Amino acid sequence: LSAVLVCGSAHAQADGETVSRLIAEDAAHQLQHPDPVVRGEAALIVAASRNPQFQTALLVVAKDSDEEAQLRGILALGLHASPGVASVLGDLLRDPATRTKAPGIAAAFALGSLPPDNAPTIVNQLLTSFLQSSLKRQRDVMLALLRGMHRHEQSLQLTPLHRLYEE
């Protein structure tokens, strides 16, 4: 009986993975849809698959000229967590024109959402930068980063987190 359950469970898991792959592939066709919300939502669905073949398409949505698609694309980068995403998000946060606006706040959440070993240096630099600037002005960016970081154990960022807390 246990062999039947294990085989049945493995079969169900394989079916679930197949369905997820098909959904992601179908959503990928919508990444260039004329409606920006559809493009952005498609990016989130595609990102959940964590399939590396979609990284370039997700970067395109994250740089979309329409903010509705762009914000979802930025969040999708954090969800996808592919190599190189941390530096793209870090670039958005280094730009004073976007840092405290919606794209910067989305980038902070996405950066914080990455597994800690994906972006320890960039996250540490960002946490330290909060200490060197107006916390009132940076509040939303800081809260977005911290909320994203809440998704994972943060042993790599304990020192800058303690310093930020003390301030």
Side-chain angles (χ1 to χ4, degrees):
L1 176 63
S2 62
V4 171
L5 291 175
V6 170
C7 289
S9 176
H11 182 66
Q13 184 178 2
D15 285 347
E17 290 172 7
T18 300
V19 169
S20 295
R21 183 181 50 78
L22 291 172
I23 290 171
E25 288 173 3
D26 190 46
H29 296 295
Q30 303 303 316
L31 291 172
Q32 294 159 6
H33 193 277
D35 185 321
V37 173
V38 172
R39 288 193 303 275
E41 293 294 324
L44 290 168
I45 293 168
V46 166
S49 75
R50 294 211 164 108
N51 185 331
Q53 82 180 40
F54 297 124
Q55 181 177 3
T56 302
L58 293 175
L59 287 168
V60 169
V61 178
K63 295 176 181 178
D64 200 289
S65 60
D66 190 292
E67 192 173 77
E68 293 284 341
Q70 180 189 37
L71 294 176
R72 288 169 174 86
I74 292 168
L75 294 173
L77 292 177
L79 180 61
H80 195 250
S82 54
V85 164
S87 60
V88 171
L89 297 170
D91 289 345
L92 277 169
L93 289 162
R94 283 185 206 98
D95 182 357
T98 60
R99 182 173 177 150
T100 58
K101 293 183 173 58
I105 294 167
F109 180 81
L111 183 64
S113 295
L114 294 173
D117 56 339
N118 282 30
T121 303
I122 295 171
V123 171
N124 285 341
Q125 289 171 347
L126 186 58
L127 288 167
T128 302
S129 77
F130 294 140
L131 297 170
Q132 300 166 349
S133 61
S134 166
L135 288 178
K136 182 178 179 183
R137 185 167 180 257
Q138 302 294 321
R139 182 184 68 101
D140 293 341
V141 178
M142 181 178 62
L143 291 175
L145 176 71
L146 294 174
R147 182 62 187 116
M149 291 173 72
H150 184 59
R151 297 182 61 205
H152 302 284
E153 177 70 33
Q154 296 297 326
S155 59
L156 297 174
Q157 282 83 20
L158 285 180
T159 301
L161 283 169
H162 283 289
R163 286 183 50 211
L164 186 61
Y165 175 76
E166 289 170 1
E167 288 294 318

